[in-house]
Amino acid sequence: QVQLVESGGGLVESGGSLRLSCAASGLTFSTHAISWYRQAPGKEREVVAIISISGRTNYAESVKGRFTISRDNAKNTVDLQMNSLKGEDTAVYLCFASRWTESYWGQGTQVTVSS
């Protein structure tokens, strides 16, 4: 059974930092691209950052220069370092693993940025 478990969310002041982690089990982690999405209340789910199986990264324009995604295939984890957080970063952050037609979602972790 595939599981993606996010952790590291919480309440932080504007300008602060958080580090999210996604721990995967039940899949061949190194063969899956991993993405972080977020969904704020009343808004559509949006992709925040993606890391390919080769380690190539892409970011949403709104987080470029502030967020960094990284993966550790030995530990089956993907982290999202979030710096200079803003109120508009408040959302549930979800981990997403994909390979060809396979895809899996985590349950999400809440990030709240107070202004």
Side-chain angles (χ1 to χ4, degrees):
Q1 182 182 359
V2 175
Q3 281 192 314
L4 300 176
V5 180
E6 301 95 335
S7 61
L11 175 64
V12 64
E13 291 185 353
S14 181
S17 298
L18 280 175
R19 189 175 184 89
L20 306 183
S21 186
C22 172
S25 60
L27 76 168
T28 307
F29 184 76
S30 61
T31 65
H32 288 71
I34 307 294
S35 307
W36 281 98
Y37 282 74
R38 67 185 181 188
Q39 188 161 21
K43 294 188 177 181
E44 292 189 357
R45 190 170 292 184
E46 62 173 354
V47 61
V48 174
I50 302 170
I51 187 163
S52 73
I53 59 175
S54 66
R56 182 177 297 179
T57 59
N58 276 293
Y59 299 91
E61 285 295 325
S62 59
V63 306
K64 275 184 180 178
R66 299 189 298 123
F67 290 12
T68 302
I69 188 171
S70 59
R71 67 188 299 159
D72 186 335
N73 289 336
K75 296 181 179 179
N76 284 10
T77 58
V78 168
D79 289 349
L80 185 68
Q81 177 66 42
M82 306 187 297
N83 299 327
S84 303
L85 283 162
K86 307 174 182 179
E88 51 262 45
D89 296 318
T90 295
V92 174
Y93 284 71
L94 304 106
C95 184
F96 178 73
S98 62
R99 180 183 72 170
W100 299 108
T101 58
E102 296 177 29
S103 63
Y104 309 96
W105 287 97
Q107 292 297 309
T109 185
Q110 176 69 46
V111 171
T112 303
V113 183
S114 63
S115 54

PDB file of all heavy atoms in Angstrom, residues 6 10-11 27 29-30 39-40 43 45 57 61 69 73 80-82 88-89 96 109:
ATOM      1  N   GLU A   6       2.919  13.719   4.933  1.00  0.00           N
ATOM      2  CA  GLU A   6       3.532  15.046   5.062  1.00  0.00           C
ATOM      3  C   GLU A   6       3.681  15.434   6.531  1.00  0.00           C
ATOM      4  O   GLU A   6       2.864  15.028   7.363  1.00  0.00           O
ATOM      5  CB  GLU A   6       2.677  16.113   4.366  1.00  0.00           C
ATOM      6  CG  GLU A   6       2.456  15.887   2.893  1.00  0.00           C
ATOM      7  CD  GLU A   6       1.159  15.164   2.594  1.00  0.00           C
ATOM      8  OE1 GLU A   6       0.670  14.419   3.491  1.00  0.00           O
ATOM      9  OE2 GLU A   6       0.631  15.316   1.480  1.00  0.00           O
ATOM     10  N   GLY A  10       2.604  24.132  10.206  1.00  0.00           N
ATOM     11  CA  GLY A  10       2.344  24.817  11.457  1.00  0.00           C
ATOM     12  C   GLY A  10       2.035  26.271  11.254  1.00  0.00           C
ATOM     13  O   GLY A  10       1.757  26.716  10.134  1.00  0.00           O
ATOM     14  N   LEU A  11       2.104  27.013  12.342  1.00  0.00           N
ATOM     15  CA  LEU A  11       1.837  28.450  12.332  1.00  0.00           C
ATOM     16  C   LEU A  11       3.167  29.197  12.398  1.00  0.00           C
ATOM     17  O   LEU A  11       4.013  28.898  13.253  1.00  0.00           O
ATOM     18  CB  LEU A  11       0.964  28.818  13.531  1.00  0.00           C
ATOM     19  CG  LEU A  11       0.675  30.297  13.767  1.00  0.00           C
ATOM     20  CD1 LEU A  11      -0.121  30.876  12.610  1.00  0.00           C
ATOM     21  CD2 LEU A  11      -0.060  30.478  15.091  1.00  0.00           C
ATOM     22  N   LEU A  27       6.245   2.282  -2.551  1.00  0.00           N
ATOM     23  CA  LEU A  27       6.498   2.521  -3.967  1.00  0.00           C
ATOM     24  C   LEU A  27       7.997   2.631  -4.195  1.00  0.00           C
ATOM     25  O   LEU A  27       8.758   2.866  -3.248  1.00  0.00           O
ATOM     26  CB  LEU A  27       5.788   3.783  -4.462  1.00  0.00           C
ATOM     27  CG  LEU A  27       6.357   5.165  -4.099  1.00  0.00           C
ATOM     28  CD1 LEU A  27       5.670   6.243  -4.923  1.00  0.00           C
ATOM     29  CD2 LEU A  27       6.243   5.448  -2.639  1.00  0.00           C
ATOM     30  N   PHE A  29      10.423   4.731  -4.880  1.00  0.00           N
ATOM     31  CA  PHE A  29      10.448   6.187  -4.761  1.00  0.00           C
ATOM     32  C   PHE A  29      11.281   6.856  -5.847  1.00  0.00           C
ATOM     33  O   PHE A  29      10.870   7.862  -6.433  1.00  0.00           O
ATOM     34  CB  PHE A  29      10.999   6.548  -3.379  1.00  0.00           C
ATOM     35  CG  PHE A  29      10.989   8.011  -3.074  1.00  0.00           C
ATOM     36  CD1 PHE A  29       9.809   8.649  -2.734  1.00  0.00           C
ATOM     37  CD2 PHE A  29      12.160   8.747  -3.119  1.00  0.00           C
ATOM     38  CE1 PHE A  29       9.792  10.005  -2.446  1.00  0.00           C
ATOM     39  CE2 PHE A  29      12.166  10.092  -2.831  1.00  0.00           C
ATOM     40  CZ  PHE A  29      10.978  10.727  -2.487  1.00  0.00           C
ATOM     41  N   SER A  30      12.445   6.282  -6.142  1.00  0.00           N
ATOM     42  CA  SER A  30      13.378   6.939  -7.056  1.00  0.00           C
ATOM     43  C   SER A  30      12.860   7.022  -8.483  1.00  0.00           C
ATOM     44  O   SER A  30      13.398   7.773  -9.299  1.00  0.00           O
ATOM     45  CB  SER A  30      14.721   6.212  -7.036  1.00  0.00           C
ATOM     46  OG  SER A  30      14.549   4.883  -7.469  1.00  0.00           O
ATOM     47  N   GLN A  39      -3.453  24.061  -1.400  1.00  0.00           N
ATOM     48  CA  GLN A  39      -4.835  24.469  -1.619  1.00  0.00           C
ATOM     49  C   GLN A  39      -5.279  25.349  -0.473  1.00  0.00           C
ATOM     50  O   GLN A  39      -5.292  24.926   0.691  1.00  0.00           O
ATOM     51  CB  GLN A  39      -5.757  23.259  -1.741  1.00  0.00           C
ATOM     52  CG  GLN A  39      -7.168  23.619  -2.150  1.00  0.00           C
ATOM     53  CD  GLN A  39      -7.935  22.452  -2.712  1.00  0.00           C
ATOM     54  OE1 GLN A  39      -7.610  21.284  -2.478  1.00  0.00           O
ATOM     55  NE2 GLN A  39      -8.969  22.746  -3.481  1.00  0.00           N
ATOM     56  N   ALA A  40      -5.606  26.565  -0.827  1.00  0.00           N
ATOM     57  CA  ALA A  40      -6.111  27.513   0.155  1.00  0.00           C
ATOM     58  C   ALA A  40      -7.636  27.472   0.146  1.00  0.00           C
ATOM     59  O   ALA A  40      -8.242  27.087  -0.864  1.00  0.00           O
ATOM     60  CB  ALA A  40      -5.614  28.918  -0.175  1.00  0.00           C
ATOM     61  N   LYS A  43     -10.008  28.244  -2.960  1.00  0.00           N
ATOM     62  CA  LYS A  43      -9.177  28.352  -4.158  1.00  0.00           C
ATOM     63  C   LYS A  43      -8.882  26.965  -4.722  1.00  0.00           C
ATOM     64  O   LYS A  43      -8.988  25.962  -4.024  1.00  0.00           O
ATOM     65  CB  LYS A  43      -7.861  29.075  -3.830  1.00  0.00           C
ATOM     66  CG  LYS A  43      -8.049  30.524  -3.450  1.00  0.00           C
ATOM     67  CD  LYS A  43      -6.706  31.224  -3.332  1.00  0.00           C
ATOM     68  CE  LYS A  43      -6.883  32.699  -3.029  1.00  0.00           C
ATOM     69  NZ  LYS A  43      -5.568  33.404  -2.945  1.00  0.00           N
ATOM     70  N   ARG A  45      -6.590  23.910  -6.196  1.00  0.00           N
ATOM     71  CA  ARG A  45      -5.292  23.335  -5.862  1.00  0.00           C
ATOM     72  C   ARG A  45      -4.289  23.781  -6.917  1.00  0.00           C
ATOM     73  O   ARG A  45      -4.574  23.764  -8.114  1.00  0.00           O
ATOM     74  CB  ARG A  45      -5.399  21.812  -5.828  1.00  0.00           C
ATOM     75  CG  ARG A  45      -4.199  21.100  -5.280  1.00  0.00           C
ATOM     76  CD  ARG A  45      -4.506  19.633  -5.077  1.00  0.00           C
ATOM     77  NE  ARG A  45      -5.478  19.433  -4.005  1.00  0.00           N
ATOM     78  CZ  ARG A  45      -5.855  18.231  -3.580  1.00  0.00           C
ATOM     79  NH1 ARG A  45      -5.348  17.125  -4.131  1.00  0.00           N
ATOM     80  NH2 ARG A  45      -6.746  18.125  -2.609  1.00  0.00           N
ATOM     81  N   THR A  57      14.298  20.597 -11.035  1.00  0.00           N
ATOM     82  CA  THR A  57      13.245  21.246 -10.259  1.00  0.00           C
ATOM     83  C   THR A  57      12.544  22.342 -11.057  1.00  0.00           C
ATOM     84  O   THR A  57      13.144  22.972 -11.941  1.00  0.00           O
ATOM     85  CB  THR A  57      13.813  21.865  -8.976  1.00  0.00           C
ATOM     86  OG1 THR A  57      14.826  22.818  -9.310  1.00  0.00           O
ATOM     87  CG2 THR A  57      14.432  20.800  -8.082  1.00  0.00           C
ATOM     88  N   GLU A  61       5.742  30.570 -10.137  1.00  0.00           N
ATOM     89  CA  GLU A  61       6.329  31.912 -10.117  1.00  0.00           C
ATOM     90  C   GLU A  61       6.201  32.560  -8.750  1.00  0.00           C
ATOM     91  O   GLU A  61       7.092  33.297  -8.316  1.00  0.00           O
ATOM     92  CB  GLU A  61       5.663  32.781 -11.176  1.00  0.00           C
ATOM     93  CG  GLU A  61       6.087  32.488 -12.605  1.00  0.00           C
ATOM     94  CD  GLU A  61       7.555  32.790 -12.844  1.00  0.00           C
ATOM     95  OE1 GLU A  61       8.066  33.761 -12.250  1.00  0.00           O
ATOM     96  OE2 GLU A  61       8.198  32.058 -13.612  1.00  0.00           O
ATOM     97  N   ILE A  69      12.811  22.784  -3.278  1.00  0.00           N
ATOM     98  CA  ILE A  69      12.420  21.386  -3.158  1.00  0.00           C
ATOM     99  C   ILE A  69      13.662  20.517  -3.314  1.00  0.00           C
ATOM    100  O   ILE A  69      14.545  20.814  -4.127  1.00  0.00           O
ATOM    101  CB  ILE A  69      11.344  21.022  -4.210  1.00  0.00           C
ATOM    102  CG1 ILE A  69      10.781  19.624  -3.960  1.00  0.00           C
ATOM    103  CG2 ILE A  69      11.874  21.164  -5.629  1.00  0.00           C
ATOM    104  CD1 ILE A  69       9.555  19.289  -4.819  1.00  0.00           C
ATOM    105  N   ASN A  73      16.583  10.044  -2.113  1.00  0.00           N
ATOM    106  CA  ASN A  73      16.052   8.740  -2.533  1.00  0.00           C
ATOM    107  C   ASN A  73      16.431   7.631  -1.554  1.00  0.00           C
ATOM    108  O   ASN A  73      15.744   6.613  -1.474  1.00  0.00           O
ATOM    109  CB  ASN A  73      16.538   8.400  -3.936  1.00  0.00           C
ATOM    110  CG  ASN A  73      15.882   9.269  -4.996  1.00  0.00           C
ATOM    111  OD1 ASN A  73      14.792   9.800  -4.796  1.00  0.00           O
ATOM    112  ND2 ASN A  73      16.556   9.418  -6.121  1.00  0.00           N
ATOM    113  N   LEU A  80      10.445  20.394   1.348  1.00  0.00           N
ATOM    114  CA  LEU A  80      10.164  21.709   0.777  1.00  0.00           C
ATOM    115  C   LEU A  80      10.559  22.747   1.812  1.00  0.00           C
ATOM    116  O   LEU A  80       9.886  22.899   2.832  1.00  0.00           O
ATOM    117  CB  LEU A  80       8.688  21.850   0.417  1.00  0.00           C
ATOM    118  CG  LEU A  80       8.308  23.147  -0.290  1.00  0.00           C
ATOM    119  CD1 LEU A  80       8.916  23.199  -1.696  1.00  0.00           C
ATOM    120  CD2 LEU A  80       6.792  23.322  -0.363  1.00  0.00           C
ATOM    121  N   GLN A  81      11.667  23.419   1.537  1.00  0.00           N
ATOM    122  CA  GLN A  81      12.118  24.497   2.412  1.00  0.00           C
ATOM    123  C   GLN A  81      11.433  25.781   1.982  1.00  0.00           C
ATOM    124  O   GLN A  81      11.541  26.184   0.822  1.00  0.00           O
ATOM    125  CB  GLN A  81      13.636  24.657   2.321  1.00  0.00           C
ATOM    126  CG  GLN A  81      14.188  25.807   3.150  1.00  0.00           C
ATOM    127  CD  GLN A  81      14.024  25.590   4.640  1.00  0.00           C
ATOM    128  OE1 GLN A  81      14.248  24.490   5.134  1.00  0.00           O
ATOM    129  NE2 GLN A  81      13.623  26.636   5.358  1.00  0.00           N
ATOM    130  N   MET A  82      10.726  26.399   2.907  1.00  0.00           N
ATOM    131  CA  MET A  82       9.954  27.597   2.583  1.00  0.00           C
ATOM    132  C   MET A  82      10.467  28.759   3.414  1.00  0.00           C
ATOM    133  O   MET A  82      10.401  28.718   4.647  1.00  0.00           O
ATOM    134  CB  MET A  82       8.462  27.357   2.873  1.00  0.00           C
ATOM    135  CG  MET A  82       7.893  26.131   2.178  1.00  0.00           C
ATOM    136  SD  MET A  82       6.112  25.968   2.374  1.00  0.00           S
ATOM    137  CE  MET A  82       5.988  25.764   4.140  1.00  0.00           C
ATOM    138  N   GLU A  88      -0.191  34.937   1.869  1.00  0.00           N
ATOM    139  CA  GLU A  88      -0.799  34.204   0.753  1.00  0.00           C
ATOM    140  C   GLU A  88      -0.247  32.796   0.579  1.00  0.00           C
ATOM    141  O   GLU A  88      -0.724  32.039  -0.263  1.00  0.00           O
ATOM    142  CB  GLU A  88      -0.639  34.987  -0.556  1.00  0.00           C
ATOM    143  CG  GLU A  88       0.772  35.434  -0.849  1.00  0.00           C
ATOM    144  CD  GLU A  88       1.007  36.886  -0.436  1.00  0.00           C
ATOM    145  OE1 GLU A  88       0.590  37.277   0.679  1.00  0.00           O
ATOM    146  OE2 GLU A  88       1.644  37.614  -1.231  1.00  0.00           O
ATOM    147  N   ASP A  89       0.758  32.440   1.371  1.00  0.00           N
ATOM    148  CA  ASP A  89       1.254  31.062   1.353  1.00  0.00           C
ATOM    149  C   ASP A  89       0.425  30.157   2.261  1.00  0.00           C
ATOM    150  O   ASP A  89       0.628  28.942   2.273  1.00  0.00           O
ATOM    151  CB  ASP A  89       2.719  31.016   1.807  1.00  0.00           C
ATOM    152  CG  ASP A  89       3.654  31.744   0.866  1.00  0.00           C
ATOM    153  OD1 ASP A  89       3.479  31.603  -0.363  1.00  0.00           O
ATOM    154  OD2 ASP A  89       4.558  32.442   1.359  1.00  0.00           O
ATOM    155  N   PHE A  96       2.600  14.865  -3.820  1.00  0.00           N
ATOM    156  CA  PHE A  96       2.038  14.117  -4.947  1.00  0.00           C
ATOM    157  C   PHE A  96       3.161  13.373  -5.638  1.00  0.00           C
ATOM    158  O   PHE A  96       4.163  13.967  -6.021  1.00  0.00           O
ATOM    159  CB  PHE A  96       1.371  15.094  -5.909  1.00  0.00           C
ATOM    160  CG  PHE A  96       0.788  14.479  -7.144  1.00  0.00           C
ATOM    161  CD1 PHE A  96      -0.366  13.730  -7.078  1.00  0.00           C
ATOM    162  CD2 PHE A  96       1.384  14.676  -8.387  1.00  0.00           C
ATOM    163  CE1 PHE A  96      -0.923  13.170  -8.222  1.00  0.00           C
ATOM    164  CE2 PHE A  96       0.846  14.128  -9.537  1.00  0.00           C
ATOM    165  CZ  PHE A  96      -0.310  13.381  -9.459  1.00  0.00           C
ATOM    166  N   THR A 109      -0.604  18.826   4.946  1.00  0.00           N
ATOM    167  CA  THR A 109      -0.224  19.447   6.206  1.00  0.00           C
ATOM    168  C   THR A 109      -0.547  20.940   6.126  1.00  0.00           C
ATOM    169  O   THR A 109      -0.304  21.571   5.097  1.00  0.00           O
ATOM    170  CB  THR A 109       1.266  19.204   6.531  1.00  0.00           C
ATOM    171  OG1 THR A 109       1.576  19.723   7.824  1.00  0.00           O
ATOM    172  CG2 THR A 109       2.195  19.832   5.493  1.00  0.00           C
TER     173      THR A 109
END
